[in-house]
Amino acid sequence: MATISLREEAVELLQELIRLDTVNPPGNETQAAELLRDYLTESGVMCDLYAKVPERANLVARIPGRGGPRLALLSHTDTVLADPVEWQLDPWSGELRDGEVWGRGALDMKGQVAASAVAVASLAREGFEPAGDLIFVAAADEEVGVEFGLSWLCKQHPEAVRAEYSLNEGAGDRIELGGRAFYLLSVAEKMSSPFHLRVRGRSGHASMPGIADNALVKAAALIERLGEFSPEPRLEPEVAALFEAVTGAPPDDAEQVLEVARAVDPLAAELVEPLVGMTVSPTMITASQKRNVIPALCDVTVDCRLLPGQTQDEAEEVLRGLLGEGDYELEWMEGIGGTRSPMEGSLWEAIGSWVAETEPEAGVAPICLAGFTDSHWLRDAFGTIAYGFFPMRYMDAQVATRLVHSADERVRVDDLELGVEFLRYAARAMGGG
């Protein structure tokens, strides 16, 4: 391999990854897994591909350790779709322009894939000997999650991905709160618990509405109640720890959380608001298939997110109290995530040490994700202490949030280089030789 900087190495690998169309569905992640395998084996890294079907392979690479705690660098190679009409540049160009690499997946999350691979490859070239295995997982199927990716690996090949610690996407953004810089560190995730409401009525000809019982109209009243829902606030450990980091102490009670957050900064309130209780967002509705037929059935799909540890039974009691009696059925579609990791231990300390050395005036602010990542599969399967942290200092966090899953997605090369530096630091801090 020609002598180039790790910065250039990461940029080139990211560009190659972006030029592979791994939009899920259908995914076709094998092409990315094979690219990463070929790149890593050149540096002497052990690599295996695991695939439920040939075109959707997962890559697991490893630097063997000395029997100590294992650290897994998690990532996924699939992306959401992209409409080239909405973009300034071809979404699969991987073009480098003004210090930024453009393309679908640059932020979510081929940038972190490339940085993780470069970190592992460079450590292997240096003869790095970790205390426990350093594992790099480039999984398929995170964006849809239909048992081709990490969930499948945990069930079918558990020893390939078993680890005591892991680092994944989810946070790392540098933000300013109360006049001080903080790097967000995700330590927990809400549970995705969408549900269906099936509202029943009686059909009839639309020209004679009085003879029917319109399920769509009845559903409208229920949707309004869901839209007006405000949960009874709860002060969860992650939110309390966030306030402790920012203000020195958590609020006295849960009722004060949003008020205190607004006093600190509007961004703090934006971060905290979905974390004080369950959220419900009606998103889809189907009723009559003909303009002149009053529907007897109306199906409403509701995105619902529960706090870590909150059960669907508990949530359903709240929802039925909100909706009241009526001709409807409530059915949960799934319950995925809702896990948390302790805010202590060697990986926690390693992240704090890196921030202190890199930007001494900055702090670390724990956060619970309103959404979820693949981290919960490792927490559920192995009790892994899993954090979301990939530092981003140079691109404004709010700009990056708007670009994820949107047009003109791009990543700053400075942040890509920062990510490589952090991952190398974390691997060494966890007991490298």
Side-chain angles (χ1 to χ4, degrees):
M1 180 181 294
T3 302
I4 61 174
S5 68
L6 297 185
R7 175 188 177 96
E8 294 169 315
E9 199 170 327
V11 167
E12 290 183 8
L13 183 58
L14 174 56
Q15 289 177 306
E16 290 185 71
L17 286 166
I18 288 174
R19 289 166 188 154
L20 300 176
D21 183 348
T22 54
V23 170
N24 183 15
N28 293 322
E29 297 95 338
T30 293
Q31 55 187 330
E34 290 175 341
L35 170 66
L36 292 165
R37 178 194 60 193
D38 294 346
Y39 164 76
L40 288 162
T41 53
E42 286 183 2
S43 297
V45 180
M46 299 169 49
C47 296
D48 293 290
L49 299 187
Y50 299 89
K52 185 176 181 180
V53 295
E55 65 274 16
R56 307 208 64 184
N58 304 271
L59 171 113
V60 181
R62 183 183 310 269
I63 298 179
R66 305 187 300 274
R70 293 155 288 196
L71 172 64
L73 308 182
L74 294 186
S75 64
H76 64 85
T77 56
D78 61 323
T79 72
V80 298
L81 54 77
D83 183 353
V85 174
E86 299 177 348
W87 287 61
Q88 297 179 52
L89 303 177
D90 178 355
W92 292 279
S93 68
E95 183 172 329
L96 177 60
R97 177 182 289 188
D98 299 327
E100 297 176 325
V101 179
W102 288 59
R104 176 55 83 223
L107 288 169
D108 185 18
M109 67 173 294
K110 288 181 176 179
Q112 190 166 343
V113 173
S116 299
V118 169
V120 171
S122 61
L123 287 168
R125 294 195 296 265
E126 295 166 6
F128 175 63
E129 295 182 2
D133 290 3
L134 177 62
I135 306 166
F136 168 45
V137 182
D141 192 37
E142 191 272 348
E143 297 291 357
V144 176
V146 286
E147 293 287 318
F148 290 101
L150 189 58
S151 61
W152 177 79
L153 283 170
C154 288
K155 294 171 186 174
Q156 300 300 322
H157 301 280
E159 291 312 309
V161 294
R162 185 186 301 273
E164 285 72 29
Y165 297 93
S166 77
L167 286 166
N168 194 12
E169 63 180 342
D173 320 53
R174 181 190 184 278
I175 63 173
E176 292 192 6
L177 298 174
R180 185 186 177 197
F182 290 92
Y183 286 83
L184 295 178
L185 167 58
S186 69
V187 298
E189 302 172 355
K190 294 183 81 173
M191 177 188 287
S192 173
S193 293
F195 61 89
H196 283 306
L197 275 185
R198 169 158 283 194
V199 185
R200 298 188 178 275
R202 185 178 65 256
S203 62
H205 199 287
S207 66
M208 302 178 66
I211 66 170
D213 185 16
N214 195 323
L216 180 57
V217 173
K218 294 166 75 172
L222 300 180
I223 292 170
E224 283 192 355
R225 291 175 201 163
L226 291 171
E228 295 168 356
F229 173 68
S230 179
E232 182 178 344
R234 290 163 52 162
L235 182 58
E236 296 294 290
E238 297 78 21
V239 173
L242 172 67
F243 277 105
E244 184 123 9
V246 175
T247 68
D252 293 332
D253 62 64
E255 297 288 343
Q256 297 178 335
V257 169
L258 290 180
E259 180 182 346
V260 174
R262 291 189 192 100
V264 171
D265 192 281
L267 178 57
E270 185 179 308
L271 286 170
V272 165
E273 186 173 13
L275 306 179
V276 297
M278 61 184 281
T279 58
V280 291
S281 300
T283 54
M284 301 170 67
I285 188 167
T286 58
S288 178
Q289 301 304 305
K290 291 194 68 178
R291 174 187 57 80
N292 62 350
V293 176
I294 291 174
L297 291 175
C298 180
D299 287 317
V300 182
T301 301
V302 183
D303 183 276
C304 178
R305 309 288 171 130
L306 307 184
L307 293 171
Q310 192 173 20
T311 66
Q312 289 180 334
D313 286 344
E314 178 187 347
E316 186 166 337
E317 183 177 351
V318 173
L319 290 168
R320 291 191 180 278
L322 172 71
L323 297 171
E325 298 294 329
D327 296 326
Y328 67 85
E329 299 159 13
L330 190 156
E331 180 181 10
W332 296 102
M333 297 165 59
E334 66 179 22
I336 297 176
T339 59
R340 56 169 39 114
S341 290
M343 293 175 277
E344 60 184 9
S346 55
L347 184 56
W348 172 269
E349 292 169 1
I351 295 170
S353 295
W354 179 84
V355 171
E357 291 183 21
T358 305
E359 190 174 353
E361 67 276 14
V364 176
I367 194 76
C368 173
L369 291 185
F372 71 94
T373 71
D374 267 346
S375 292
H376 71 93
W377 297 117
L378 291 191
R379 290 190 186 116
D380 284 337
F382 313 121
T384 303
I385 296 176
Y387 297 141
F389 191 83
F390 187 69
M392 184 173 63
R393 179 192 301 163
Y394 299 98
M395 178 176 280
D396 181 87
Q398 291 177 295
V399 171
T401 297
R402 291 195 295 270
L403 291 174
V404 171
H405 288 200
S406 187
D408 296 336
E409 184 180 357
R410 56 196 184 271
V411 65
R412 289 282 298 272
V413 174
D414 290 338
D415 283 324
L416 197 62
E417 181 181 30
L418 187 70
V420 174
E421 293 171 358
F422 163 70
L423 293 169
R424 285 169 50 84
Y425 180 98
R428 290 191 177 282
M430 294 296 287

